Amino acid sequence: MNAAAPADIDPRTALVLFSGGQDSTVCLAWALSRYARVETIGFDYGQRHRVELACRGVVREALVNAFPRWGARLGEDHLLDLGLLGQISQTALTDDRAIEMQANGLPNTFVPGRNLLFLNLAAVVAYRRGASVLVGGMCETDYSGYPDCRDNTLKALQVALSLGLDTPMTVETPLMFIDKAQTWSLSEGLGGAALQAIIREHTHTCYQGVRDHVHEWGRGCGSCPACELRAQGWQRFVQAAASARAG
Ligand code: ZN
């Protein structure tokens, strides 16, 4: 199948860390526009709101329907049960602790080093599936406080995985140095208005799990840190696009 791929398509298989959110959907589109074959992996770790996991299948199907050339490259989805994360999270260790948002916009149930665990597990699945590229939406711009999302961490992990598996394992992070507005620009370049419509309608970001409030940037409560970040990014993208047209 790879032999028939166009010359500008990377013949490797990529495994995308796909949560059903805005960032990982852009990463999935990015991978589908580059690699001959793309599979997705998600992690069920008892997320407070199951809605994001439910979005995964919906987004995959919408992409296949809207972009047949991507649909031909999109392979299996893998969903791993990571219930053990609940055993090692802060909430489980101090079980009277209320779940609340921290100033950095992440819930206090956040597990330090979580992305390292995800990438290690993804690498094992990738090895088994013959994939040699891992794609993740880690980003220094929005969550610079999280060391396991930083570029140098992931570069080091790429080396460790490639040595430990004794095969090249590339870690790609297309969102690493761009902000939310630039992520919208990237999505426009990858799939235009059709891709942006899928992101707005079907991806989930809201920490409160709200799906029935519709905004021009997507669905959500509109006031949690995740919604605010998403709304501000969309506004900046729209303003930049308008001034580019005017200029
Ligand atoms: Zn929200």
Side-chain angles (χ1 to χ4, degrees), residues 206-208 220-224 226-227:
C206 178
Y207 282 138
Q208 303 298 332
C221 72
S223 54
C224 77
C227 280

Side-chain angles (χ1 to χ4, degrees), residues 67-204:
F67 302 95
R69 69 183 187 282
W70 291 355
R73 298 173 197 155
L74 182 61
E76 281 87 338
D77 180 43
H78 312 273
L79 185 63
L80 301 194
D81 180 353
L82 282 197
L84 68 89
L85 269 189
Q87 292 175 266
I88 57 177
S89 74
Q90 271 185 317
T91 326
L93 295 174
T94 56
D95 57 7
D96 58 343
R97 189 185 173 101
I99 295 176
E100 55 191 28
M101 296 304 159
Q102 303 173 139
N104 53 30
L106 290 172
N108 61 354
T109 52
F110 179 82
V111 180
R114 191 181 69 175
N115 284 300
L116 293 180
L117 292 175
F118 287 175
L119 281 161
N120 274 282
L121 292 165
V124 174
V125 173
Y127 184 92
R128 178 164 57 80
R129 300 292 303 171
S132 54
V133 183
L134 301 176
V135 182
M138 298 75 169
C139 172
E140 284 197 0
T141 314
D142 292 325
Y143 297 126
S144 55
Y146 286 91
D148 66 335
C149 289
R150 290 180 191 153
D151 192 50
N152 276 344
T153 304
L154 299 176
K155 291 275 197 305
L157 185 63
Q158 171 177 284
V159 174
L161 290 173
S162 298
L163 289 173
L165 294 168
D166 200 20
T167 187
M169 189 64 71
T170 303
V171 177
E172 291 284 3
T173 53
L175 311 184
M176 180 57 72
F177 299 111
I178 66 177
D179 64 19
K180 291 289 180 199
Q182 291 166 313
T183 301
W184 281 113
S185 298
L186 176 60
S187 69
E188 185 178 44
L190 289 168
L195 177 58
Q196 293 194 322
I198 289 170
I199 292 169
R200 290 206 307 271
E201 176 60 27
H202 297 303
T203 70
H204 185 77

Side-chain angles (χ1 to χ4, degrees), residues 58-71 198:
V58 176
V59 171
R60 277 176 50 103
E61 192 178 335
L63 290 174
V64 167
N65 290 336
F67 302 95
R69 69 183 187 282
W70 291 355
I198 289 170

Side-chain angles (χ1 to χ4, degrees), residues 1-12 36-37:
M1 187 177 76
N2 292 0
D8 60 337
I9 291 295
D10 188 317
R12 292 177 292 176
R37 183 174 172 80

